[in-house]
Amino acid sequence: MKSIASHIEASVIAQALDQSVNAVLLTEAHEGEGGHRIVYANAAFLRMTGYGEEEILGQNSRILQGPDTCGEVIRRLRQCLADGTFFQGSTINYRKDGRPYVVEWSVSPVRGASGEITHFLSLQQDISGLIAAQKATQLFDRILNATDDGVVITDSRGTIEFVNKGFEEITGYGLTEVLGRNPSMLKSGEQNADFYTEMWNTLKQGHSYKGTFVNRGKNDQLIYCDETITPLTDENDTITHYVSIFRDLTTRVLEEQMFREMVRFDGLTGALTRTAGELALENAFMQSRGSKLPMSIALADIDHFKQVNDQWGHSTGDVVLKTVSGNLIAALRANDSVIRWGGDEFLLIFGGCDLSHALLLAERCRQAVADSQHENVGVVTLSIGLGELRPDEALADLIERVDQAFYRAKKTGRNQTQVSTAEEPPAVGI
């Protein structure tokens, strides 16, 4: 009965080994030239190596080694076999057709009834796919970290699972500070809810969303980003992740803002440039028409400015222009505008101001300039033409009327304000 039970048990063990997903190899313990011969290889081992059973039995397992097999690992294996101790390691082996694969295996001694080692049992697994996946992941990380662009990967709920070095450089936040959090932590408050609603509506439809985001970094500074967010889906078209790639545009945006400021304001005087001033004038005109509020403008010119340049040089003339412009800006209200209209001419916009109030402001400007002393030059004065926009009058007609009033101020003695009205009032000033 005992032999029958042992036979049944051995049969079950053999079936189990043959059906195992791991490769199993049994070798003799005998050393020497013909030692460590393979006496058993299961089906998984044969599939892994490509050898037939009749080709592998009786062979030494070194038949699987090749040029990239690690010599140090093999030396350690042989030492463990000689010592009769457990071995575990991995290296590159070769299939029958010469193709390499990465094997991870363990070897245990099998002892007989008297305790002597009779065989070695090896359990092996082809981990080439795992190694390839690890290498792909490492390469993926290297690629993502090689770019200066920021990369964020979140799950379908928006929880951050990965950020690259570019993200850390741009935002100032490290990986450990953002894992498990939501990218909304970067919101600056500069963009309204409609912006984000449009973004989510696009993403939930499975489409990529591209836009300029104004985020806030760890240092509390605004970061302008050109960003593309792409949803990733599985085989059932279910969104599993979102990938965001963004480029830091902050330097460029700030440079553009600075450039716009330079274009908007005259570099010498600080007044609006002619181009920016024409736009301001048009806006004031449209606002007056829409609100039915009054609007007045004035054209001011520095008296005898050519003589200043001729006598003291253009550098002194530039100082005078800058000082006069500063006087005008300081004398006016915050919502008024000073435009360098050309050369030494300044156009002033008095929004929401009727003619009587505009005359007070114009005179305040004229007096502020007259009260200033300029090195070498002494006192300079202004001639000013002033007018209020009439009902149904075109902006060009208003400018023409003010221009005529300005020339009257020049012709009738300078250092005065001439007003353009239906009646022709006397000049105001000295």
Side-chain angles (χ1 to χ4, degrees), residues 203-413:
L203 293 175
K204 287 178 180 179
Q205 292 173 16
H207 303 307
S208 294
Y209 179 84
K210 184 173 183 178
T212 300
F213 288 71
V214 185
N215 292 326
R216 192 175 296 278
K218 186 176 180 180
N219 61 2
D220 205 38
Q221 298 297 311
L222 294 180
I223 308 170
Y224 297 85
C225 301
D226 183 16
E227 187 166 354
T228 300
I229 306 174
T230 302
L232 301 183
T233 58
D234 59 18
E235 61 276 6
N236 298 317
D237 287 332
T238 301
I239 295 174
T240 60
H241 293 82
Y242 295 100
V243 179
S244 172
I245 301 176
F246 59 93
R247 178 162 297 176
D248 185 3
L249 302 178
T250 305
T251 301
R252 194 180 84 184
V253 169
L254 293 178
E255 287 176 350
E256 289 177 351
Q257 289 178 347
M258 186 180 299
F259 176 74
R260 284 196 294 270
E261 289 297 300
M262 291 172 61
V263 172
R264 187 181 178 207
F265 294 100
D266 178 62
L268 174 63
T269 65
L272 291 174
T273 63
R274 176 69 178 256
T275 301
E278 288 176 346
L279 180 60
L281 192 58
E282 183 69 25
N283 289 338
F285 174 77
M286 297 302 294
Q287 186 175 16
S288 176
R289 284 284 180 255
S291 64
K292 306 300 183 184
L293 292 175
M295 167 193 170
S296 299
I297 65 172
L299 188 62
D301 179 84
I302 301 175
D303 295 327
H304 304 296
F305 184 71
K306 185 177 182 301
Q307 294 178 15
V308 173
N309 280 331
D310 291 343
Q311 184 173 357
W312 303 104
H314 287 279
S315 59
T316 299
D318 287 347
V319 173
V320 170
L321 279 172
K322 185 176 181 179
T323 303
V324 168
S325 178
N327 294 150
L328 295 175
I329 293 171
L332 294 179
R333 304 167 303 171
N335 61 328
D336 295 328
S337 298
V338 178
I339 305 164
R340 188 176 182 189
W341 201 242
D344 60 322
E345 291 182 353
F346 295 90
L347 191 142
L348 315 177
I349 304 174
F350 309 119
C353 198
D354 61 21
L355 191 60
S356 59
H357 288 95
L359 180 57
L360 293 176
L361 289 172
E363 276 297 289
R364 188 161 72 185
C365 288
R366 187 187 63 79
Q367 195 62 52
V369 171
D371 289 344
S372 294
Q373 286 285 334
H374 302 270
E375 187 177 358
N376 297 326
V377 178
V379 176
V380 299
T381 60
L382 293 180
S383 294
I384 301 175
L386 177 68
E388 179 184 353
L389 181 66
R390 297 169 179 169
D392 301 323
E393 183 179 27
L395 181 58
D397 293 337
L398 170 62
I399 295 174
E400 177 64 25
R401 286 196 296 110
V402 169
D403 192 54
Q404 291 175 2
F406 158 75
Y407 278 109
R408 284 200 302 274
K410 283 287 188 185
K411 291 178 180 179
T412 55

Side-chain angles (χ1 to χ4, degrees), residues 48-161:
M48 182 175 71
T49 64
Y51 286 98
E53 187 176 32
E54 69 285 353
E55 296 174 300
I56 203 73
L57 293 180
Q59 299 288 340
N60 187 291
S61 57
R62 71 172 64 95
I63 192 176
L64 303 171
Q65 297 173 17
D68 288 332
T69 301
C70 180
E72 180 58 36
V73 173
I74 298 303
R75 282 191 291 274
R76 186 162 57 85
L77 167 64
R78 289 172 181 166
Q79 188 62 51
C80 288
L81 296 180
D83 296 342
T85 57
F86 176 79
F87 166 84
Q88 187 173 32
S90 65
T91 189
I92 295 177
N93 275 349
Y94 291 82
R95 298 179 176 87
K96 178 183 175 181
D97 61 9
R99 289 182 298 123
Y101 66 98
V102 183
V103 63
E104 184 177 65
W105 82 109
S106 61
V107 180
S108 301
V110 179
R111 299 181 184 274
S114 59
E116 77 282 9
I117 298 175
T118 62
H119 295 85
F120 289 101
L121 180 67
S122 174
L123 301 180
Q124 303 186 10
Q125 186 176 10
D126 181 358
I127 61 170
S128 301
L130 176 62
I131 296 298
Q134 289 176 344
K135 288 183 178 179
T137 300
Q138 292 169 357
L139 179 60
F140 177 74
D141 287 345
R142 287 171 57 194
I143 291 172
L144 291 184
N145 285 319
T147 176
D148 293 332
D149 293 345
V151 179
V152 184
I153 300 177
T154 75
D155 63 15
S156 59
R157 297 182 301 275
T159 302
I160 296 175
E161 295 184 347

Side-chain angles (χ1 to χ4, degrees), residues 173-193:
Y173 287 103
L175 175 64
T176 57
E177 296 178 284
V178 299
L179 286 181
R181 300 180 70 180
N182 192 286
S184 60
M185 63 181 285
L186 300 174
K187 280 186 178 180
S188 64
E190 297 289 321
Q191 291 162 304
N192 58 30

